[in-house]
Amino acid sequence: MCTIVPISLSIGANRIVPTVSIPYPLGNPELPAEKEKELRRHLVEKALNALATPVDDQTVFND
């Protein structure tokens, strides 16, 4: 999980899950609590899916 995809690509990460922003990679304090919880759950589920997905090359897991 990363906020700056090009950096992850440049260092050779094989599974890249983009996140929200640098100060708040796994959340957005501007959202109501319930919406932020949904956002966090979505990001974690996307990361777990990335780990369970076989990859041969660098892969960015966008929505």
Side-chain angles (χ1 to χ4, degrees), residues 2 6-8 16 21 24-25 29-30 32 36 42 45 48 58 62:
C2 69
I7 291 174
S8 295
I16 302 166
S21 67
Y24 306 104
E30 309 254 333
E36 185 174 25
H42 173 72
E45 287 174 353
L48 290 171
Q58 287 183 306
N62 292 313

Side-chain angles (χ1 to χ4, degrees), residues 7-55:
I7 291 174
S8 295
L9 289 168
S10 72
I11 63 168
N14 60 353
R15 290 176 178 85
I16 302 166
V17 177
T19 58
V20 179
S21 67
I22 291 172
Y24 306 104
L26 293 177
N28 181 348
E30 309 254 333
L31 293 175
E34 189 58 36
K35 290 290 184 186
E36 185 174 25
K37 184 178 178 180
E38 289 174 21
L39 172 64
R40 290 176 181 215
R41 180 176 296 277
H42 173 72
L43 289 169
V44 170
E45 287 174 353
K46 189 163 51 166
L48 290 171
N49 180 53
L51 287 172
T53 302
V55 296

